Amino acid sequence: MFNIRCPWCGDRPAIEFAYGGDASQPRPDAPEALSDEAWHDYLFIRDNPAGPHAEYWQHTGGCRQWLTALRNTTTHEILATASPGQPLDGERT
Amino acid sequence: MSRYSIFSLARNALSHHERWPEAWRSPDPKPSYDVIIIGGGGHGLATAYYLAKEHGITNVAVLEKGWLGGGNTGRNTTIVRSNYLLEPNAYLYEHSMKLWEGLTHDLNYNVMLSQRGVINLAHSDPQVDAHMRRGNAMRLNGIDAEFLDRKQIQAKVPILDCSSNARFPVMGGLLQPRGGTARHDAVAWGYARAADSRGVDIIQNCEVTGIRMEGGRITGVETTRGPITAKKLGMAVAGHTSHVGAMAGLRLPIESHVLQALVTEPIKPVLDTVVTFGAGHLYVSQSDKGELVMGGDIDGYNTYTQRGNLPMIGHVVAAAVTLFPIFSRLRVMRTWGGIVDMSMDGSPFICKTPVDGLYLNGGWCYGGFKATPASGWVFAHTIAEDRPHPLNEAFTLDRFARGHAIDEKGMGPAPEAH
């Protein structure tokens, strides 16, 4: 079990959060202008790193806010958390 | 290779079982091979075996960074079945089921296949409908399936709480009578021994650290035991598919997650079939030693740690006790985890890659063990012929781009949901 630092609620056990997947690829701004290949890459392709991984979580058992986290996938250490769209420096924004 | 038989057993009994020959050699890697398989789990070893047996390609090495079957082959819950809805899955897994049924004799190694039946429970009208639909699809594809009502389930599994007071009352279940379990370690060892006897070099403690290419074509690998050249390279590395693939410049539709399992202390026989509780994430069977072997869902976030966290174990145990009140006072002896390569539609990849001479076998999610024989069989064909067999031509990397995902559960590109 590990804790995730919610930018609003502080350190809380991971069981309070729901995983939202890879946050390293931002959703494309203008989908209608996007090529099929770029859509495919956004939807289906993952870097899947062994190490720091940017990802979404939602604090479903708490404030229900979404957040981004940088977590080491080989140790489960949470390196930083932030409000989505903000830099992952661990500070509340 | 000396064959195992009642006579070899008697002969070795006379020498107090101290003179059994080694089951496979441990050669040093040669400088060059026709085919190198990365990954000495069930899939990699089966591939090497069928390359030699079905295609006459024996200048083959299997490179394993640890020990044989030390990854997911030795970490699964040993269930084999072919109860799939979609045709590509049904055909592949049923081919596997048929290979399972002859595997012990084919390998001259007892894989302890026990066709004790696999029951998928249903707890609601829609689930009953879905199970009946899948059962009908299976029968149309030549696979055995039988829908059991609540009374039949209760008769088959007396310790299951089928009362109307249950938290999720059982309404019926889909039985595949030919499904069951197999001894997972024996599958790796049996394939290793049979492949070795046909000339395949099995090289343990040899990690691939780089892939050599020239003009978009595979030329060999870098390993912790030196460089080795190869004309063709097959990957069967499960949870590490993304990072081995990256050595050849591939970006793949895969996430690595941890799937946990556990066993209880051994008890006398109480459960002679496999029961799965899809609504609550549990599958359970009883091993020959008497332990109850249980698994559930993946923990649900990307990870490369071969260990999970307690909440999922608690969830699995809670589901087990809900269905089987008799289990409530058992102690859990061990829990463990394996890293599974979750694909974007829950189905595997057994295919060529954009790199000439590089072949991919991965994305098995948590369904890889039962597929081991067919996976090796079609992967060997794909490598030997440089084109897929009809049984695996749907399992390509470009199926998402073409709109041909094989989404058995209809979950979409959310690996944590498959």
Side-chain angles (χ1 to χ4, degrees):
Chain A
M1 183 70 132
F2 51 93
N3 286 351
I4 296 173
R5 177 168 301 164
C6 173
W8 296 274
C9 311
D11 263 342
R12 303 296 304 171
I15 197 172
E16 291 184 6
F17 297 78
Y19 188 58
D22 191 341
S24 64
Q25 310 292 326
R27 187 178 172 86
D29 281 337
E32 69 282 2
L34 216 57
S35 70
D36 286 354
E37 199 185 343
W39 250 132
H40 167 266
D41 287 359
Y42 167 69
L43 278 177
F44 299 109
I45 302 296
R46 306 282 192 272
D47 284 331
N48 194 22
H53 183 239
E55 57 199 22
Y56 295 112
W57 290 85
Q58 188 190 10
H59 196 183
T60 46
C63 65
R64 300 200 59 79
Q65 293 276 16
W66 282 90
L67 60 129
T68 51
L70 193 66
R71 185 177 55 94
N72 186 334
T73 59
T74 62
T75 61
H76 295 167
E77 184 190 1
I78 299 281
L79 304 166
T81 54
S83 173
Q86 300 300 314
L88 270 167
D89 57 6
E91 297 301 315
R92 180 170 170 166
T93 52
Chain B
M1 176 179 85
S2 63
R3 280 185 68 78
Y4 293 155
S5 67
I6 183 75
F7 304 109
S8 73
L9 187 63
R11 203 164 49 244
N12 281 282
L14 294 176
S15 54
H16 305 281
H17 298 294
E18 287 172 355
R19 291 187 201 159
W20 283 102
E22 61 181 7
W24 55 83
R25 300 164 296 131
S26 295
D28 286 326
K30 292 193 282 190
S32 176
Y33 289 94
D34 291 339
V35 179
I36 288 178
I37 305 294
I38 311 174
H43 292 246
L45 293 163
T47 304
Y49 171 67
Y50 292 116
L51 275 172
K53 182 186 176 217
E54 306 287 346
H55 305 279
I57 300 172
T58 56
N59 187 23
V60 176
V62 177
L63 307 183
E64 165 56 47
K65 76 172 175 182
W67 65 95
L68 297 189
N72 295 345
T73 301
R75 291 166 189 266
N76 57 70
T77 47
T78 79
I79 297 166
V80 298
R81 57 183 175 86
S82 57
N83 52 358
Y84 281 80
L85 172 73
L86 301 179
E87 286 180 359
N89 286 333
Y91 296 155
L92 180 74
Y93 290 106
E94 179 57 14
H95 184 60
S96 207
M97 200 67 232
K98 288 174 179 163
L99 289 171
W100 278 116
E101 287 173 329
L103 198 59
T104 289
H105 286 281
D106 188 28
L107 299 179
N108 181 229
Y109 203 102
N110 190 358
V111 299
M112 297 169 72
L113 177 69
S114 164
Q115 293 180 287
R116 59 184 69 182
V118 172
I119 296 173
N120 303 151
L121 296 176
H123 302 266
S124 65
D125 288 327
Q127 222 184 352
V128 167
D129 290 348
H131 282 17
M132 283 186 172
R133 175 182 178 229
R134 181 154 52 88
N136 285 331
M138 287 164 63
R139 293 173 77 128
L140 286 171
N141 284 323
I143 303 168
D144 58 323
E146 221 176 301
F147 191 84
L148 306 181
D149 64 21
R150 191 176 69 157
K151 277 190 178 146
Q152 291 168 304
I153 296 273
Q154 183 75 86
K156 200 157 166 45
V157 191
I159 59 169
L160 180 64
D161 181 3
C162 289
S163 71
S164 53
N165 293 330
R167 175 65 184 83
F168 299 102
V170 173
M171 295 183 68
L174 186 66
L175 167 69
Q176 185 186 15
R178 284 158 67 239
T181 59
R183 170 90 199 275
H184 51 10
D185 304 312
V187 175
W189 300 334
Y191 272 120
R193 175 168 168 271
D196 175 86
S197 78
R198 289 174 184 267
V200 171
D201 282 357
I202 293 164
I203 300 159
Q204 301 180 72
N205 299 311
C206 179
E207 182 176 355
V208 169
T209 53
I211 292 177
R212 287 186 169 183
M213 295 187 288
E214 220 172 82
R217 217 198 134 71
I218 290 296
T219 59
V221 290
E222 310 278 350
T223 77
T224 48
R225 294 177 68 175
I228 311 174
T229 64
K231 293 179 192 140
K232 293 178 175 179
L233 187 60
M235 288 167 52
V237 296
H240 292 275
T241 300
S242 291
H243 99 247
V244 176
M247 294 176 191
L250 301 182
R251 289 184 74 224
L252 298 168
I254 285 174
E255 287 183 5
S256 295
H257 287 249
V258 65
L259 178 65
Q260 300 192 75
L262 63 98
V263 293
T264 66
E265 59 188 320
I267 54 172
K268 288 186 176 180
V270 291
L271 184 62
D272 64 357
T273 185
V274 180
V275 176
T276 81
F277 174 36
H281 309 140
L282 167 78
Y283 32 91
V284 57
S285 64
Q286 190 170 20
S287 75
D288 293 340
K289 285 187 287 185
E291 303 149 334
L292 293 156
V293 185
M294 301 180 199
D297 229 334
I298 53 177
D299 276 22
Y301 40 81
N302 293 47
T303 177
Y304 281 86
T305 60
Q306 278 182 324
R307 59 185 190 280
N309 281 310
L310 201 56
M312 183 50 73
I313 294 291
H315 181 69
V316 167
V317 167
V321 171
T322 301
L323 288 184
F324 300 97
I326 192 177
F327 293 171
S328 64
R329 292 167 72 183
L330 293 179
R331 295 177 182 86
V332 171
M333 284 213 306
R334 288 190 303 283
T335 75
W336 63 92
I339 300 305
V340 292
D341 39 341
M342 303 299 292
S343 67
M344 295 297 143
D345 57 1
S347 297
F349 306 103
I350 320 167
C351 56
K352 298 172 70 170
T353 69
V355 180
D356 278 346
L358 179 64
Y359 304 86
L360 171 64
N361 180 330
W364 285 100
C365 301
Y366 40 78
F369 176 68
K370 63 183 161 306
T372 304
S375 159
W377 197 88
V378 297
F379 196 40
H381 182 282
T382 306
I383 293 171
E385 307 277 332
D386 195 36
R387 63 187 161 82
H389 187 276
L391 283 173
N392 67 310
E393 61 189 3
F395 297 101
T396 60
L397 271 175
D398 66 355
R399 63 177 182 255
F400 303 108
R402 292 183 298 111
H404 286 86
I406 308 166
D407 199 344
E408 182 81 20
K409 286 167 82 179
M411 292 292 192
E416 67 275 11
H418 284 299

